[in-house]
Amino acid sequence: MIDVITKYFKHLTATQQEQFEKLGVLYPEWNEKINVISRKDIDNLYVNHILHSLSIACFIDFKPGSRILDLGTGGGFPGIPLAVMFPEVEFHMVDRIGKKIKVAEDIAQKIGLENATFQHGDVGEVKGLFDFVVSRAVMDLNDMVPLVKRLIGRKCINSMPNGLICLKGGDVSGEISKYKKVALVGNVKDYFSEEYFETKKIVYVQI
């Protein structure tokens, strides 16, 4: 199933390919012990979770030295696939559910990720500054933006101003109405042809 990754990302190193292949073994193994991904959805791991996470890599090419916070990472999405894709970018993944962070940390260790750190806790406990906060269907923008504002404050080194990048589904017009002047909405189907992405969106808010 890694073919669905290499179809869109043709310049992966041998190490990156091996890491993506290992995800296809490790997540199902963990899922039998802890329900990290919906049982009915684990067979769709590569499209619905890994490739979906990598849509952010199509939206923005993070520059080496960037620091990214993955808020509400769960079992490591979108953070772990992005950390594989951007080995010179630092990813810090946070979740309030300890057992899910344990899974993400174990998987990162087993695939040899050296640019990922993990924290069991709430966003209010996160320290430091980041270029971007990323998340995948965690909470409404109106709740999230005030929580992450204090964490985004590094000197901009990327092609887009620092901010928040969220993966969402369906109609997001209500959520972004307050941020129209500083928000962009992209369609994941512009990057990937699989049917799953028909209604998926990337929402960026400059902060």
Side-chain angles (χ1 to χ4, degrees), residues 24-39 42-43 103:
V25 176
L26 294 168
Y27 274 109
E29 282 180 357
W30 263 112
N31 224 51
E32 289 182 4
K33 307 171 199 170
I34 295 172
N35 195 16
V36 180
I37 294 169
S38 164
R39 302 279 189 210
I42 191 67
D43 292 339
V103 171

mmCIF file of all heavy atoms in Angstrom, residues 24-39 42-43 103:
data_model
loop_
_atom_site.group_PDB
_atom_site.id
_atom_site.type_symbol
_atom_site.label_atom_id
_atom_site.label_comp_id
_atom_site.label_asym_id
_atom_site.label_seq_id
_atom_site.Cartn_x
_atom_site.Cartn_y
_atom_site.Cartn_z
ATOM 1 N N GLY A 24 2.861 0.696 8.116
ATOM 2 C CA GLY A 24 1.809 -0.240 7.716
ATOM 3 C C GLY A 24 1.797 -1.522 8.522
ATOM 4 O O GLY A 24 0.806 -2.271 8.498
ATOM 5 N N VAL A 25 2.878 -1.796 9.231
ATOM 6 C CA VAL A 25 2.956 -2.959 10.126
ATOM 7 C C VAL A 25 2.664 -2.551 11.567
ATOM 8 O O VAL A 25 1.886 -3.203 12.279
ATOM 9 C CB VAL A 25 4.358 -3.609 10.037
ATOM 10 C CG1 VAL A 25 4.483 -4.753 11.042
ATOM 11 C CG2 VAL A 25 4.634 -4.093 8.617
ATOM 12 N N LEU A 26 3.267 -1.440 11.992
ATOM 13 C CA LEU A 26 3.216 -1.052 13.405
ATOM 14 C C LEU A 26 1.833 -0.572 13.846
ATOM 15 O O LEU A 26 1.375 -0.906 14.950
ATOM 16 C CB LEU A 26 4.259 0.035 13.683
ATOM 17 C CG LEU A 26 5.717 -0.426 13.524
ATOM 18 C CD1 LEU A 26 6.669 0.766 13.533
ATOM 19 C CD2 LEU A 26 6.093 -1.397 14.650
ATOM 20 N N TYR A 27 1.164 0.210 13.016
ATOM 21 C CA TYR A 27 -0.160 0.700 13.426
ATOM 22 C C TYR A 27 -1.177 -0.429 13.600
ATOM 23 O O TYR A 27 -1.877 -0.472 14.622
ATOM 24 C CB TYR A 27 -0.672 1.773 12.465
ATOM 25 C CG TYR A 27 -0.174 3.156 12.828
ATOM 26 C CD1 TYR A 27 0.782 3.800 12.045
ATOM 27 C CD2 TYR A 27 -0.646 3.824 13.968
ATOM 28 C CE1 TYR A 27 1.249 5.066 12.386
ATOM 29 C CE2 TYR A 27 -0.178 5.084 14.315
ATOM 30 C CZ TYR A 27 0.765 5.694 13.518
ATOM 31 O OH TYR A 27 1.234 6.944 13.865
ATOM 32 N N PRO A 28 -1.284 -1.378 12.663
ATOM 33 C CA PRO A 28 -2.210 -2.487 12.894
ATOM 34 C C PRO A 28 -1.864 -3.315 14.132
ATOM 35 O O PRO A 28 -2.757 -3.767 14.856
ATOM 36 C CB PRO A 28 -2.080 -3.331 11.616
ATOM 37 C CG PRO A 28 -1.677 -2.343 10.567
ATOM 38 C CD PRO A 28 -0.762 -1.389 11.276
ATOM 39 N N GLU A 29 -0.558 -3.498 14.382
ATOM 40 C CA GLU A 29 -0.147 -4.237 15.584
ATOM 41 C C GLU A 29 -0.633 -3.538 16.847
ATOM 42 O O GLU A 29 -1.190 -4.148 17.754
ATOM 43 C CB GLU A 29 1.381 -4.373 15.621
ATOM 44 C CG GLU A 29 1.934 -5.438 14.700
ATOM 45 C CD GLU A 29 3.449 -5.519 14.771
ATOM 46 O OE1 GLU A 29 4.082 -4.698 15.497
ATOM 47 O OE2 GLU A 29 4.018 -6.407 14.095
ATOM 48 N N TRP A 30 -0.402 -2.230 16.923
ATOM 49 C CA TRP A 30 -0.839 -1.466 18.090
ATOM 50 C C TRP A 30 -2.359 -1.418 18.177
ATOM 51 O O TRP A 30 -2.932 -1.443 19.268
ATOM 52 C CB TRP A 30 -0.269 -0.050 18.042
ATOM 53 C CG TRP A 30 0.965 0.134 18.853
ATOM 54 C CD1 TRP A 30 2.231 0.375 18.400
ATOM 55 C CD2 TRP A 30 1.072 0.088 20.275
ATOM 56 N NE1 TRP A 30 3.107 0.476 19.455
ATOM 57 C CE2 TRP A 30 2.422 0.304 20.621
ATOM 58 C CE3 TRP A 30 0.152 -0.127 21.302
ATOM 59 C CZ2 TRP A 30 2.882 0.326 21.938
ATOM 60 C CZ3 TRP A 30 0.607 -0.112 22.632
ATOM 61 C CH2 TRP A 30 1.955 0.111 22.923
ATOM 62 N N ASN A 31 -3.011 -1.351 17.046
ATOM 63 C CA ASN A 31 -4.464 -1.201 17.037
ATOM 64 C C ASN A 31 -5.171 -2.415 17.619
ATOM 65 O O ASN A 31 -6.309 -2.324 18.080
ATOM 66 C CB ASN A 31 -4.972 -0.940 15.607
ATOM 67 C CG ASN A 31 -6.009 0.162 15.582
ATOM 68 O OD1 ASN A 31 -5.783 1.236 16.118
ATOM 69 N ND2 ASN A 31 -7.156 -0.104 14.972
ATOM 70 N N GLU A 32 -4.499 -3.550 17.594
ATOM 71 C CA GLU A 32 -5.081 -4.750 18.196
ATOM 72 C C GLU A 32 -5.081 -4.653 19.715
ATOM 73 O O GLU A 32 -5.880 -5.298 20.388
ATOM 74 C CB GLU A 32 -4.317 -5.997 17.741
ATOM 75 C CG GLU A 32 -4.561 -6.326 16.273
ATOM 76 C CD GLU A 32 -3.847 -7.593 15.846
ATOM 77 O OE1 GLU A 32 -3.233 -8.255 16.707
ATOM 78 O OE2 GLU A 32 -3.911 -7.920 14.638
ATOM 79 N N LYS A 33 -4.183 -3.822 20.260
ATOM 80 C CA LYS A 33 -4.104 -3.653 21.721
ATOM 81 C C LYS A 33 -4.872 -2.420 22.180
ATOM 82 O O LYS A 33 -5.546 -2.426 23.214
ATOM 83 C CB LYS A 33 -2.634 -3.516 22.158
ATOM 84 C CG LYS A 33 -1.716 -4.623 21.670
ATOM 85 C CD LYS A 33 -0.268 -4.238 21.977
ATOM 86 C CE LYS A 33 0.708 -5.044 21.142
ATOM 87 N NZ LYS A 33 2.066 -4.536 21.250
ATOM 88 N N ILE A 34 -4.722 -1.329 21.439
ATOM 89 C CA ILE A 34 -5.343 -0.040 21.795
ATOM 90 C C ILE A 34 -6.022 0.511 20.548
ATOM 91 O O ILE A 34 -5.414 0.555 19.477
ATOM 92 C CB ILE A 34 -4.282 0.976 22.288
ATOM 93 C CG1 ILE A 34 -3.660 0.495 23.596
ATOM 94 C CG2 ILE A 34 -4.884 2.355 22.469
ATOM 95 C CD1 ILE A 34 -2.468 1.330 24.049
ATOM 96 N N ASN A 35 -7.246 0.940 20.694
ATOM 97 C CA ASN A 35 -7.995 1.425 19.530
ATOM 98 C C ASN A 35 -7.554 2.841 19.160
ATOM 99 O O ASN A 35 -8.211 3.825 19.469
ATOM 100 C CB ASN A 35 -9.495 1.392 19.852
ATOM 101 C CG ASN A 35 -10.344 1.517 18.601
ATOM 102 O OD1 ASN A 35 -9.848 1.342 17.497
ATOM 103 N ND2 ASN A 35 -11.601 1.824 18.777
ATOM 104 N N VAL A 36 -6.417 2.906 18.465
ATOM 105 C CA VAL A 36 -5.859 4.196 18.058
ATOM 106 C C VAL A 36 -6.596 4.726 16.829
ATOM 107 O O VAL A 36 -6.865 5.906 16.694
ATOM 108 C CB VAL A 36 -4.351 4.060 17.734
ATOM 109 C CG1 VAL A 36 -3.767 5.394 17.315
ATOM 110 C CG2 VAL A 36 -3.607 3.510 18.929
ATOM 111 N N ILE A 37 -6.896 3.819 15.919
ATOM 112 C CA ILE A 37 -7.637 4.130 14.701
ATOM 113 C C ILE A 37 -8.877 3.250 14.711
ATOM 114 O O ILE A 37 -8.825 2.106 15.167
ATOM 115 C CB ILE A 37 -6.771 3.823 13.447
ATOM 116 C CG1 ILE A 37 -5.564 4.765 13.407
ATOM 117 C CG2 ILE A 37 -7.576 3.940 12.163
ATOM 118 C CD1 ILE A 37 -4.515 4.376 12.385
ATOM 119 N N SER A 38 -9.991 3.759 14.229
ATOM 120 C CA SER A 38 -11.223 2.973 14.170
ATOM 121 C C SER A 38 -10.947 1.590 13.576
ATOM 122 O O SER A 38 -10.254 1.462 12.573
ATOM 123 C CB SER A 38 -12.250 3.718 13.324
ATOM 124 O OG SER A 38 -13.292 2.860 12.936
ATOM 125 N N ARG A 39 -11.467 0.556 14.219
ATOM 126 C CA ARG A 39 -11.215 -0.825 13.771
ATOM 127 C C ARG A 39 -11.578 -1.007 12.296
ATOM 128 O O ARG A 39 -10.874 -1.673 11.552
ATOM 129 C CB ARG A 39 -12.048 -1.819 14.602
ATOM 130 C CG ARG A 39 -11.798 -1.760 16.095
ATOM 131 C CD ARG A 39 -10.567 -2.524 16.496
ATOM 132 N NE ARG A 39 -10.469 -2.630 17.945
ATOM 133 C CZ ARG A 39 -9.334 -2.707 18.609
ATOM 134 N NH1 ARG A 39 -8.200 -2.684 17.955
ATOM 135 N NH2 ARG A 39 -9.310 -2.810 19.917
ATOM 136 N N ILE A 42 -8.769 0.752 9.897
ATOM 137 C CA ILE A 42 -7.343 0.424 9.918
ATOM 138 C C ILE A 42 -6.877 -0.110 8.555
ATOM 139 O O ILE A 42 -5.734 0.080 8.153
ATOM 140 C CB ILE A 42 -6.998 -0.572 11.060
ATOM 141 C CG1 ILE A 42 -5.477 -0.689 11.243
ATOM 142 C CG2 ILE A 42 -7.650 -1.916 10.849
ATOM 143 C CD1 ILE A 42 -4.813 0.563 11.753
ATOM 144 N N ASP A 43 -7.778 -0.749 7.801
ATOM 145 C CA ASP A 43 -7.420 -1.241 6.473
ATOM 146 C C ASP A 43 -7.179 -0.098 5.489
ATOM 147 O O ASP A 43 -6.587 -0.304 4.426
ATOM 148 C CB ASP A 43 -8.520 -2.162 5.916
ATOM 149 C CG ASP A 43 -8.610 -3.475 6.688
ATOM 150 O OD1 ASP A 43 -7.613 -3.845 7.346
ATOM 151 O OD2 ASP A 43 -9.665 -4.128 6.636
ATOM 152 N N VAL A 103 1.584 5.196 22.061
ATOM 153 C CA VAL A 103 1.630 4.511 20.764
ATOM 154 C C VAL A 103 2.466 5.320 19.778
ATOM 155 O O VAL A 103 3.359 4.789 19.108
ATOM 156 C CB VAL A 103 0.201 4.305 20.210
ATOM 157 C CG1 VAL A 103 0.262 3.802 18.766
ATOM 158 C CG2 VAL A 103 -0.571 3.327 21.078
#
